[in-house]
Amino acid sequence: MCNENLKENEKEIKESSVNNSADGRQEKSAEKEKDWYKRMAFYQIWVRSFADGNGDGIGDLYGVYDKLEYVKSLGVDGIWFSPLYPSPNADFGYDISDYKDIHPDYGTLDQFKKVLHKAHELGLKVIMDLVINHTSDEHPWFIESRKGKDNPYSDYYIWRDKPNNWDSIFDGKAWEYDEQRGQYYLHLFAKKQPDLNMDNEKVREEVKSIMRFWLDMGVDGFREDVINFISKKEGLPNGLPFIPAVNGMPYYKDGPHIHEYLGEFRQVCNEYDCFQIGEGPMTTVNSALKYVTGENKSLDMMISFDHMLADCLFTQYIHRPFSLIKLKKAFTKWQLALAGRAWNSLYLENHDHPRIISRYGSEYYHRESGTMLAVCYLFLQGTPFIYQGQEIGMTNIRLNSIDKYVDVSSIANYNTYHLKDSEEKRLRRIHLSSRDSARTPIQWNDSKYAGFSTVKPWFYVNPNYKKINVAAEEKDEFSILNFYRKCLSLRRNSKALLYGNYKEYYPNDPNVYMYERSYGTVSYLIICSFAKIPVKVTIPEKYIGKRGQLMLCNYPDRKQYIRYGDNMFQDLVRSEMCTYAVRHGMYRPYETRVYRFRID
């Protein structure tokens, strides 16, 4: 698109030295630390909705095995698997009943080993989800623990005769009375997800055993779920009574022994060539730095949440109009704070968030906004994660009844908050916020069930699969899918885009996100319009008069390209807006451009 010339970039990555010594020191440091994940991009697979390989309507490892060449073709270097373990699925895998096996719905340990072996043959690393804040209430540890105070598993969980006032994030109060034991157990999430007592040394030894089990098998690392919640304050004091859902968070987020316990787990990983990325809800920059820097560094990366709040307050359920300024502020804060000190994780979608085009982009300007959103984050400093279906621009599903949703948090929100609103208004909140939108079956083609399965899938297929699917986008050189491939190729072959310094321009512009990545004499200028109408873009003075090479643009060279026009009137409006923008030197709706400069 727009006179791309990616081969020119290959010279840059092969340069053996740079002009300034600081960049040279950075490169040597990277080699010394063997931080292989810095040059990687990961693809997240939520296996239940990825591909059904055995014809039962549920995604599985047989389907993953068959699709590994597709994953490799995207230009990624690794896979992050959401939980694959046996589970009653109260929270679809995040309630684990056996840490050392594979859920029967997904296959067997032998099948996982086949997937792992094939992935490694294709040059793909594999990381597993490690969920150790809680288990399922059907885990053998909990079954034994609830029998009484005089058994080896009694203190594997957090029991109290009298509960405090903490709320659960998912499911009412954070304490559930157990008739068999005659005490209350703590569950920060769903009732079927009792929290482990990480203060018990035996529990920490169990965690180390789990890690070694998978690392010995050949897994390359872990994404560690809500890892900053695993240490609770002694005495479990009452929380703030006027804050719903998270009133106890000051007493379990970044708890008193968190770095001590993670340090123990880090020692295990140091025995292997692997890496760890942590998920830390409500994590601030300063808090994150304590995990990913210094002598007591316990994680290689921390997943940030700030940039996912550009259209909501605290949670997607409390929706607000999208603010580009808020998004840019979050991106820039983390880029500058971690520069030279740590490494960012980059993402716009995962299993816990609605689809990004439906949030920050435009379903009307589907291709344009989908490609622009790819650019806005893939060229930041850090390791990108792409969630399944994101690369083809999958969008939110809108079901007409709460009874059709299966996500525990969506159902709890619907039945707990805004009860005086009409059913229509409450359902609209679910349309905007439900995690189920990220969990609809992947749209592989336009055949029945979107090519996900030969039988009715476990969950609803988004009706737009006829237009939005992998097969259609493979054939279309201007598709979102092929644009992601070009972005990842450009990133992979550029030292500036991998390691370069970050600088934002015009932070208060409500329509345009513009930033620079520079390394030695090479600079990239990345420009992203988030506007639905043509907008004027001002080039920074530094680049005026300089001749830059246009590496990427999401509008074809021909006058207009309509991929998903719904009717002649819409096509005409879209065409006229683009014609107007070109004539007046403006950026077209959701246009993005990436320029490469050499500045001596």
Side-chain angles (χ1 to χ4, degrees):
M1 295 182 185
C2 291
N3 300 317
E4 301 147 298
N5 189 351
L6 304 185
K7 289 184 179 180
E8 188 69 22
N9 219 51
E10 294 174 2
K11 298 177 183 177
E12 179 191 336
I13 196 69
K14 293 177 182 177
E15 291 174 352
S16 60
S17 63
V18 293
N19 290 337
N20 76 53
S21 59
D23 284 340
R25 287 195 300 271
Q26 183 180 9
E27 184 180 27
K28 289 179 182 177
S29 176
E31 290 174 357
K32 183 179 179 181
E33 294 171 5
K34 296 182 180 179
D35 292 336
W36 43 260
Y37 58 85
K38 290 185 177 180
R39 289 189 58 180
M40 295 184 68
F42 280 90
Y43 187 78
Q44 182 191 352
I45 294 180
W46 200 79
V47 69
R48 192 174 189 83
S49 290
F50 186 65
D52 175 15
N54 64 2
D56 64 357
I58 298 172
D60 49 47
L61 289 169
Y62 308 102
V64 172
Y65 186 90
D66 293 338
K67 299 293 186 183
L68 282 176
E69 286 84 0
Y70 166 78
V71 173
K72 178 66 177 178
S73 79
L74 299 175
V76 299
D77 312 277
I79 295 168
W80 155 28
F81 279 115
S82 292
L84 300 170
Y85 318 100
S87 166
N89 284 332
D91 190 21
F92 285 101
Y94 285 88
D95 50 318
I96 296 167
S97 56
D98 186 347
Y99 285 99
K100 295 181 179 180
D101 205 349
I102 297 295
H103 196 301
D105 285 350
Y106 306 148
T108 63
L109 268 177
D110 284 340
Q111 181 60 24
F112 175 79
K113 291 174 184 177
K114 290 179 182 178
V115 169
L116 182 63
H117 178 70
K118 184 176 179 180
H120 284 164
E121 282 190 330
L122 290 170
L124 296 169
K125 301 276 191 182
V126 174
I127 64 173
M128 298 286 280
D129 226 308
L130 186 67
V131 187
I132 57 171
N133 178 71
H134 46 262
T135 71
S136 166
D137 64 350
E138 297 182 30
H139 194 290
W141 300 342
F142 188 77
I143 292 172
E144 291 299 314
S145 185
R146 65 190 305 213
K147 289 179 180 178
K149 301 178 182 179
D150 299 321
N151 73 70
Y153 297 94
S154 173
D155 294 328
Y156 268 47
Y157 297 86
I158 299 171
W159 296 93
R160 291 291 183 274
D161 292 325
K162 184 179 179 181
N164 61 24
N165 70 344
W166 292 2
D167 290 330
S168 163
I169 293 172
F170 279 178
D171 210 0
K173 304 305 289 185
W175 296 89
E176 185 72 8
Y177 186 74
D178 184 78
E179 293 282 353
Q180 183 175 357
R181 176 148 170 160
Q183 286 185 300
Y184 294 86
Y185 66 85
L186 178 68
H187 62 92
L188 293 181
F189 294 92
K191 292 177 183 178
K192 288 183 67 63
Q193 292 174 290
D195 279 47
L196 284 164
N197 177 18
M198 205 59 63
D199 293 335
N200 185 341
E201 183 180 357
K202 292 180 181 179
V203 173
R204 301 198 300 277
E205 290 302 317
E206 297 278 13
V207 172
K208 296 173 192 176
S209 174
I210 293 163
M211 295 172 76
R212 287 194 175 95
F213 177 84
W214 294 103
L215 291 170
D216 287 340
M217 194 180 297
V219 164
D220 301 290
F222 300 100
R223 177 265 188 190
E224 301 179 9
D225 187 64
V226 293
I227 198 62
N228 60 336
F229 286 6
I230 66 171
S231 173
K232 280 73 172 177
K233 184 175 177 60
E234 289 88 346
L236 306 181
N238 279 329
L240 304 173
F242 51 85
I243 301 178
V246 294
N247 62 342
M249 189 169 286
Y251 304 113
Y252 57 77
K253 174 183 171 290
D254 304 324
H257 301 288
I258 184 68
H259 298 292
E260 173 190 339
Y261 297 161
L262 289 185
E264 292 184 27
F265 305 149
R266 184 70 169 181
Q267 289 177 12
V268 174
C269 280
N270 286 340
E271 300 170 14
Y272 302 79
D273 181 23
C274 70
F275 96 111
Q276 298 166 275
I277 176 172
E279 181 204 32
M282 303 293 183
T283 293
T284 64
V285 165
N286 290 334
S287 175
L289 286 170
K290 295 176 183 177
Y291 291 87
V292 296
T293 62
E295 293 183 2
N296 296 321
K297 174 180 175 180
S298 56
L299 297 170
D300 295 298
M301 290 187 285
M302 178 67 87
I303 296 172
S304 61
F305 284 75
D306 290 354
H307 68 288
M308 300 308 294
L309 303 176
D311 67 346
C312 58
L313 186 65
F314 301 121
T315 169
Q316 281 105 191
Y317 189 69
I318 308 176
H319 190 262
R320 295 290 183 269
F322 170 70
S323 167
L324 176 59
I325 292 175
K326 190 175 179 183
L327 176 67
K328 295 192 296 183
K329 185 177 180 180
F331 277 150
T332 297
K333 177 173 66 175
W334 282 80
Q335 286 290 297
L336 297 181
L338 270 61
R341 305 173 68 187
W343 201 248
N344 275 284
S345 63
L346 309 173
Y347 74 99
L348 286 179
E349 288 191 10
N350 62 35
H351 63 289
D352 276 337
H353 300 285
R355 294 291 183 176
I356 202 64
I357 289 178
S358 300
R359 296 183 64 189
Y360 295 179
S362 165
E363 293 184 11
Y364 177 77
Y365 286 105
H366 177 262
R367 182 189 62 81
E368 295 88 346
S369 66
T371 48
M372 181 277 296
L373 286 164
V375 167
C376 87
Y377 91 104
L378 286 178
F379 297 133
L380 297 170
Q381 187 183 82
T383 297
F385 288 76
I386 299 167
Y387 180 65
Q388 62 184 42
Q390 177 184 338
E391 77 278 12
I392 60 170
M394 286 180 63
T395 61
N396 283 357
I397 194 168
R398 295 169 178 84
L399 302 174
N400 60 12
S401 169
I402 191 62
D403 295 334
K404 293 183 177 180
Y405 286 87
V406 295
D407 169 37
V408 61
S409 64
S410 298
I411 295 168
N413 285 336
Y414 182 87
N415 291 317
T416 303
Y417 306 111
H418 305 285
L419 298 180
K420 293 182 180 180
D421 286 353
S422 67
E423 182 178 333
E424 182 181 3
K425 283 186 177 180
R426 289 162 63 200
L427 200 56
R428 183 174 180 274
R429 294 178 190 274
I430 302 302
H431 293 162
L432 291 168
S433 65
S434 180
R435 300 187 302 175
D436 281 338
S437 282
R439 302 173 181 186
T440 57
I442 297 302
Q443 296 157 207
W444 293 103
N445 56 47
D446 64 359
S447 67
K448 192 174 183 180
Y449 307 130
F452 166 78
S453 179
T454 56
V455 300
K456 186 177 180 180
W458 74 276
F459 192 58
Y460 300 94
V461 176
N462 195 312
N464 63 17
Y465 76 92
K466 290 285 186 179
K467 292 182 178 179
I468 303 173
N469 62 73
V470 171
E473 296 199 22
E474 288 279 13
K475 300 172 185 176
D476 176 7
E477 63 176 306
F478 303 117
S479 68
I480 297 175
L481 172 60
N482 284 315
F483 194 80
Y484 264 91
R485 287 171 169 149
K486 291 168 184 174
C487 288
L488 290 170
S489 176
L490 181 60
R491 175 188 177 274
R492 174 194 293 272
N493 290 301
S494 168
K495 281 185 178 177
L497 294 175
L498 286 170
Y499 306 115
N501 296 322
Y502 169 91
K503 181 178 180 179
E504 183 188 358
Y505 291 98
Y506 313 118
N508 295 320
D509 189 321
N511 296 310
V512 176
Y513 180 32
M514 186 186 304
Y515 64 94
E516 167 191 292
R517 299 293 309 284
S518 58
Y519 186 86
T521 61
V522 176
S523 289
Y524 281 82
L525 187 64
I526 293 97
I527 307 169
C528 301
S529 170
F530 279 72
K532 298 178 181 179
I533 59 175
V535 293
K536 194 72 176 177
V537 173
T538 302
I539 300 299
E541 186 175 348
K542 171 182 178 179
Y543 294 101
I544 294 176
K546 302 288 185 181
R547 186 174 180 181
Q549 182 180 8
L550 183 60
M551 304 300 291
L552 282 177
C553 175
N554 63 343
Y555 276 81
D557 288 329
R558 47 188 156 151
K559 277 187 178 181
Q560 177 63 8
Y561 179 81
I562 308 299
R563 178 66 182 88
Y564 298 118
D566 293 326
N567 55 51
M568 291 180 62
F569 176 74
Q570 288 184 351
D571 290 357
L572 179 63
V573 170
R574 187 180 298 209
S575 178
E576 288 299 312
M577 288 185 72
C578 293
T579 301
Y580 175 88
V582 170
R583 285 177 180 172
H584 293 271
M586 306 177 82
Y587 269 50
R588 291 161 284 193
Y590 296 100
E591 184 168 0
T592 184
R593 297 187 188 186
V594 178
Y595 290 96
R596 181 179 182 272
F597 293 87
R598 276 198 174 273
I599 300 178
D600 299 322

